[in-house]
């Protein structure tokens, strides 16, 4: 009596077995035991920033970066701190920076001043645009 319906169920066994195309193999090509994070843990970073007291000035600096200006040039023009060497703070170890600044900086992957990957953060000092040049 009900033989036909059983036949349709047995057809539904293997959806996509995903040989060669799945998520499992390709994305973790670096081999480091990243435990979910994409960056290796670092104890120090080579960091640059642009510090602006006013939100409007920070927005102006961001506009320059989005237009393709080099990070160090924008830092020389807009940053209001004493890091006048293109915003360079040099190598900083964990625990030596403002907590919010440090978290944002350590989560950032390294890039170059000509093609920066940056993040914005607000601290007691003002508005920062941060980029990282190196990690170790």
């Amino acid at each position: 009596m009900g033989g036909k319906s059983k036949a349709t169920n047995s057809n539904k066994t293997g959806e996509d077995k995903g040989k060669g195309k799945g998520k499992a193999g390709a994305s973790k090509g670096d081999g480091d035991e990243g435990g979910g994070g994409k960056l290796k843990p670092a104890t120090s970073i080579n960091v640059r920033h642009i510090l602006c007291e006013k939100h409007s000035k920070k927005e102006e600096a961001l506009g320059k970066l989005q237009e393709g200006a080099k990070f160090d040039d924008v830092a020389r023009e807009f940053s209001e701190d004493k890091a006048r060497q293109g915003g360079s703070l040099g190598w900083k170890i964990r625990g030596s920076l403002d907590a919010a600044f440090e978290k944002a900086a350590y989560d950032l992957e390294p890039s170059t001043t000509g093609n920066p990957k940056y993040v914005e953060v607000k601290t007691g000092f003002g508005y920062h645009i941060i980029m990282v040049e190196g990690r170790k």
Side-chain angles (χ1 to χ4, degrees):
M1 265 170 105
K4 287 181 184 174
S5 64
K6 282 187 179 185
T8 54
N9 285 344
S10 67
N11 225 359
K12 202 178 173 185
T13 47
E15 286 163 0
D16 279 331
K17 297 226 171 164
K19 272 197 173 172
K21 286 189 179 177
K23 299 173 195 165
S27 63
K28 289 197 176 185
D30 290 1
D32 286 80
E33 58 206 45
K38 55 189 177 295
L39 293 171
K40 290 189 291 185
T43 55
S44 62
I45 52 173
N46 188 4
V47 65
R48 288 182 184 265
H49 78 146
I50 300 166
L51 171 64
C52 301
E53 212 174 286
K54 292 190 167 38
H55 184 267
S56 58
K57 189 166 184 181
K58 186 250 327 171
E59 290 296 314
E60 204 178 327
L62 273 176
K64 291 275 190 189
L65 289 171
Q66 289 160 353
E67 289 168 13
K70 288 182 69 180
F71 193 94
D72 51 339
D73 293 339
V74 176
R76 279 188 203 92
E77 184 179 344
F78 288 92
S79 193
E80 297 169 10
D81 74 339
K82 48 189 178 288
R84 287 283 175 211
Q85 308 83 4
S88 178
L89 297 174
W91 286 95
K92 295 293 181 187
I93 60 168
R94 266 191 205 275
S96 66
L97 297 164
D98 177 89
F101 184 105
E102 187 169 285
K103 176 166 181 7
Y106 273 90
D107 287 347
L108 204 54
E109 65 182 275
S111 59
T112 63
T113 58
N115 188 19
K117 293 179 181 173
Y118 49 84
V119 67
E120 304 170 50
V121 68
K122 184 172 184 342
T123 70
F125 299 100
Y127 298 91
H128 302 264
I129 305 168
I130 306 167
M131 72 159 289
V132 172
E133 289 187 289
R135 300 168 59 88
K136 61 183 179 183

